[in-house]
Amino acid sequence: MSDIYWRKIQHLEIVVNRDVDFKDRCEEYFRDIILIHQAIPGFRRDDVDTSTRFLGYELKAPVMITGITGGARETLDVNRRLAQIASQHGIALGLGSQRPILTSNFNREVVETYRVARDTAPNIPLIGNIGFNTLKTLGVQEVKQLVDSVRADALAVHLNPAQEAIQPEGDTDFSLETLSVLREVAREVGVPILVKEVGNGLSYEVVRKITAETGVKIFDVAGACGTSWVKVEMYRTADDVRKHVAQVIGEWGIPTPVSIIETRLASPDSTIIASGGVWDGLRAVKSLALGADMAGFAKPVLTRLLKEGFESASRFVAEYVESMKTVMFLVGAEKLGDLRRIPVVV
Amino acid sequence: MSDIYWRKIQHLEIVVNRDVDFKDRCEEYFRDIILIHQAIPGFRRDDVDTSTRFLGYELKAPVMITGITGGARETLDVNRRLAQIASQHGIALGLGSQRPILTSNFNREVVETYRVARDTAPNIPLIGNIGFNTLKTLGVQEVKQLVDSVRADALAVHLNPAQEAIQPEGDTDFSLETLSVLREVAREVGVPILVKEVGNGLSYEVVRKITAETGVKIFDVAGACGTSWVKVEMYRTADDVRKHVAQVIGEWGIPTPVSIIETRLASPDSTIIASGGVWDGLRAVKSLALGADMAGFAKPVLTRLLKEGFESASRFVAEYVESMKTVMFLVGAEKLGDLRRIPVVV
Amino acid sequence: MSDIYWRKIQHLEIVVNRDVDFKDRCEEYFRDIILIHQAIPGFRRDDVDTSTRFLGYELKAPVMITGITGGARETLDVNRRLAQIASQHGIALGLGSQRPILTSNFNREVVETYRVARDTAPNIPLIGNIGFNTLKTLGVQEVKQLVDSVRADALAVHLNPAQEAIQPEGDTDFSLETLSVLREVAREVGVPILVKEVGNGLSYEVVRKITAETGVKIFDVAGACGTSWVKVEMYRTADDVRKHVAQVIGEWGIPTPVSIIETRLASPDSTIIASGGVWDGLRAVKSLALGADMAGFAKPVLTRLLKEGFESASRFVAEYVESMKTVMFLVGAEKLGDLRRIPVVV
Amino acid sequence: MSDIYWRKIQHLEIVVNRDVDFKDRCEEYFRDIILIHQAIPGFRRDDVDTSTRFLGYELKAPVMITGITGGARETLDVNRRLAQIASQHGIALGLGSQRPILTSNFNREVVETYRVARDTAPNIPLIGNIGFNTLKTLGVQEVKQLVDSVRADALAVHLNPAQEAIQPEGDTDFSLETLSVLREVAREVGVPILVKEVGNGLSYEVVRKITAETGVKIFDVAGACGTSWVKVEMYRTADDVRKHVAQVIGEWGIPTPVSIIETRLASPDSTIIASGGVWDGLRAVKSLALGADMAGFAKPVLTRLLKEGFESASRFVAEYVESMKTVMFLVGAEKLGDLRRIPVVV
Ligand SMILES: Cc1cc2nc3c(=O)[nH]c(=O)nc-3n(C[C@H](O)[C@H](O)[C@H](O)COP(=O)(O)O)c2cc1C
Ligand SMILES: Cc1cc2nc3c(=O)[nH]c(=O)nc-3n(C[C@H](O)[C@H](O)[C@H](O)COP(=O)(O)O)c2cc1C
Ligand SMILES: Cc1cc2nc3c(=O)[nH]c(=O)nc-3n(C[C@H](O)[C@H](O)[C@H](O)COP(=O)(O)O)c2cc1C
Ligand SMILES: Cc1cc2nc3c(=O)[nH]c(=O)nc-3n(C[C@H](O)[C@H](O)[C@H](O)COP(=O)(O)O)c2cc1C
């Protein structure tokens, strides 16, 4: 198995079985965001409407399974089942990094591990995925081809400097020049671009810069509250010094609630996905009340899928959406837009 | 046994035996409300006067056993003994939801399980009880009949959207239209209406709305510090998704001290009962110092009654009132009114 | 043995062997008072001068063993040894409540249990002791006689409403009228009056009132950080209701650091003794930096004396004073007066 | 073995094997200093440049092993290996107190235990070391000789009043007069003077005074977050009273982050070394962001050296510097100077 495939399998294994979650006070951060119980919501709980439009699709809930996997043969089944779940519940789905497609030179079998998602779920927004530092090596045509190969509705560009700094194979070139590539791609590629972190959060400064220089209008904050990629890579690296560095920065990053606020301030009219430990419907609604438009997650649905099977993973999404609805009911928000008008105490 | 009776028995059983209390920081909330010790109170401890008037009765202490039960045959004895205790100590008593009376079409035996309270305790304020969402199905005449059937001095209308959202049989219609029914009932029914939560607290917004639109002037905040009905219903529900939702919102609600302040701000001249974890005389006096007029509780007296018997439950009330008196003594408040003038540090 | 003697023995036994300390956040209160380390103190540690004048005596350190015992035959030896320790270290000594002298009608043996202190230690300030509520029953002549009988240099009047409220024999008459007795006594008795709490703290309001109405100028704050008399009496009372009340108010009171500040604000030119958990030299210096003039303690020296013997108790005082000196050295305070000029961060 | 040598060996042994670290909230202090993750740093991680000039040398990183040992024969090897490590990694090295050289009257073997450092590492800044209270007994010529004997590039004068107060042999004369000796030495000795604490921190007041009266321009804050010398001496002292005092002030001192800020405020244009628990690269970068110019440590490199050997100690420094680089990368600071411009949330 080539290195890049093996890495994908390792990632799944480590995320599911090891302790890779942020510990440091994120529980506290979310708990300190207080929504107000309204004993007369003013409507029926079943009237709660979580439907929203995203990338031209009607979603049943403002929820996204964010980019996870693809490439190695074993991931085909994962993507197929995630697509089934997303389709079943009417939510968006992200693919994992498509770099394996590039390195395999668009090998059919490799492409298939991603494309299975679209084939399985024609009715939901599907988001492609590529790294910011891979982008600098590509022309617009190649990016187009990448998107087309999986028939994605948008392309997520992930920023992961902390992960790359620990990862044995890491490419840590995060020069500003890549922003001009991003601008060109955003203008020419024909689908919207989403910029995301992978678990250390987006800052005000970064979102400002991207908005100003590239016109990108969709962000996934992927803050430091859920899966810590530094911890994941710590388990993979053999190098003692990197292992140590990983320990030192294992809790590094901007907590998700803070990142939501910073991103919203930096880009008032963008679409913001809140992810990074947004693992239940209460945190989801809090995130929306703070200014996000959608909630996203990766680890919990994956863990359920690999450890407990399809039913459990699917039920996770059902429970998530039902919790969102109940919390919206209890704060008196009948529609998503109402969440912008409810009191939030921080 | 019909469903509704069985539910009542289950409720008693779960509340008394399972872990259904709020955990989240309410201890802290109450502890952070600091009353100032006055080493020279200025009078004798035995001069402390806790007497007050409520619904035309003279109470020995501003205390109420809030609505608990009724309906199933087994509850008759509970209500009888609660009435004895209330009568003995000169405090107010609430009945549990009278819906079983409606569903049984005023069956004599069912009515008896409530009416036993008045028969036992003619000398105390007795408060009937019905759900906000049941109200919408009733005419004023029916409500009158409901109040008369138990010879109540007032009618409590409970708001419990969180409970209904978890409860298998839950009715989650909390539309604003019901407010106009409430207004009409309040105007016509002939006894005062009390609006209460059941453990998630009343917010400023809700109290404002009720005050403005219905003229109701008695509130029981029933805040999120004591019994969590979401947790109670979690034990009852068989449905996995609802169980999950219950876990997510098990600590949901407005802490009692916050709810007292919000309610007082929203309705400066109403009578406010502080309940929801107001389980000892120190918390009771703190609640009064924050703006409440009376303190109430349900779970502790019920637990003592069912687990340790009448004497223990009665002693609970005695201890409660004695603690209130000692705390009032130590803050230099000889009468209840003085509690409005003492310093409170939050 | 008469009741009052037996009570004294019980008190010693409970304080020394049971858990009667305040738990609630006083550790935190003291820790949050931060003194600044000065790496160049500007003098030699042995130059630190803790000497001060109190009641006409030159003390080696601004320290007092506050009122503990007397009455029962067994207490004679305690007072003798406390006097030896105080004399040895040049600090002040308080006697326990002299009520047994009154109730015994100045019985010689009873008086002797107190007077042993003066006989043992002619060179230190000795402070008599009587309860505020006992005072109301006495004429100035009787109070004079009380002071003279033990040859005290001052008389402490203790305020202990919380203790009296729990104590089976408690007298809870703390009417304001007694203040006029206190004023007269203060004017006529011929020795200075010290007003003290016993572990629940003096408030701004109480100190203001005493200062304004009686002219008393010495206060011992006895705040809620060390020994809780409510807890002590909880162990003694047989009455279930009082036991419960004691549990509810076991942590009641004004923390010592807060009480120091309130007392200083209320009486800028009085002599303030900081006691109530001021159990080591660091807390003592912090108390002085907050505005106190002296530090006091009761339980730790008593416990050492009764459990480990004279040497240990005496060493406690030595360690206490040495710690004070080292801390004064490290904050750059050569004399006590310098403590008023050092920065304190709260 | 003479006393002073024996003491040096004891110090090493205690620091390495006993619990001598500060516990009190320094973890919290450092954690509350928040640097902002920048998902697009704007350069390559390998472009991070930590080089700096110090005392005329080019350092690979702004890092110093602060003064540890010398004197006893056993310390020669320690200093040789520390010098190898410092040289290998291009960082500065401090020697332990040179008092043994004075007391041995410049005995060749004693001098050799220090001089081995320069012989081993000609390419790094080497800092001599003497106590503030030893200084008062020396003339400028003697100090010069001391510096020359080890061929140091600068001389550290350490302030350690807390340690001296506990140490059995302690000299606690920290009179202001010694400042004039320091001024003269600073002017005449021919190498720069560095003033340092040993773990209780420098205050604003002390740094102001030194700057104003002596012109010294290099400070090592040595704050209260890492090794507590009071605790070290507690293990050494046999005297019960001092042991007690040590317990009382074991957590005494100014936390390192606070001391950095105070020192920078008091001396805006000095060179500041942040030490005292600055034990990893994240704390190092936080310290630099707070205003320090370099980071220093003693205990961790020593412990690694003595317990795990040369390789481990050397790797500690490598890991430290690599962590610094990664953190600088993640906050978008390509050069040390950039750390003055990044946002710091406290
Ligand atoms: C196994 C796994 C693989 C992932 N792979 C990618 C990826 O290839 N590209 C990407 O942008 N994010 C990737 N992520 C990051 C997630 O999209 C998400 O941002 C992050 O895990 C935070 O969400 P969580 O806390 O819900 O897990 C991956 C996450 C997991 C758990
Ligand atoms: C067993 C039980 C049954 C209850 N039933 C009712 C009810 O029928 N109607 C109602 O308004 N509240 C009901 N309550 C809620 C209480 O009146 C009260 O608002 C709530 O329990 C908070 O008080 P606590 O923390 O002292 O228990 C019930 C409470 C308990 C413990
Ligand atoms: C055994 C014992 C007996 C006491 N008796 C008296 C007393 O008779 N009169 C009085 O004013 N205070 C009395 N006190 C209270 C102390 O003087 C002091 O105010 C209180 O204990 C707080 O100080 P501490 O925390 O150092 O113990 C007594 C304390 C103890 C421990
Ligand atoms: C074993 C040992 C010996 C030390 N000896 C000296 C010394 O002789 N002179 C000095 O100025 N500091 C001395 N120090 C203090 C250190 O230089 C440093 O200021 C202090 O340990 C705080 O840093 P740390 O927390 O990284 O250990 C010594 C430290 C250790 C651990």
Side-chain angles (χ1 to χ4, degrees), chain B residues 224-275:
Chain B
C225 289
T227 309
S228 165
W229 275 93
V230 164
K231 293 188 186 183
V232 174
E233 298 297 348
M234 183 178 66
Y235 288 110
R236 289 184 62 237
T237 193
D239 178 48
D240 269 358
V241 172
R242 278 181 193 232
K243 247 193 168 60
H244 169 85
V245 176
Q247 256 144 14
V248 171
I249 63 168
E251 297 288 330
W252 177 263
I254 307 173
T256 302
V258 177
S259 188
I260 294 167
I261 295 170
E262 298 215 354
T263 301
R264 178 52 77 212
L265 282 175
S267 186
D269 59 348
S270 62
T271 297
I272 297 176
I273 297 148
S275 80

Side-chain angles (χ1 to χ4, degrees), chain B residues 3-21:
Chain B
D3 258 26
I4 194 168
Y5 301 146
W6 172 230
R7 192 198 312 168
K8 294 286 156 190
I9 303 299
Q10 264 191 313
H11 278 161
L12 297 185
E13 193 275 324
I14 292 170
V15 164
V16 166
N17 295 313
R18 302 295 187 91
D19 178 12
V20 298
D21 294 357

Side-chain angles (χ1 to χ4, degrees), chain D residues 139-149 188-190:
Chain D
V140 170
Q141 278 318 313
E142 240 172 331
V143 177
K144 253 192 174 142
Q145 211 183 332
L146 207 57
V147 171
D148 289 348
S149 70
E188 315 273 339
V189 77

Side-chain angles (χ1 to χ4, degrees), chain A residues 66-68 97 129 158 196 198 226-227 229 276-277 279 297-299 302:
Chain A
T66 64
I68 297 181
S97 169
N129 191 295
H158 66 257
K196 76 190 287 283
V198 301
T227 309
W229 276 94
W279 289 352
F297 47 78
K299 184 184 150 167
L302 178 72

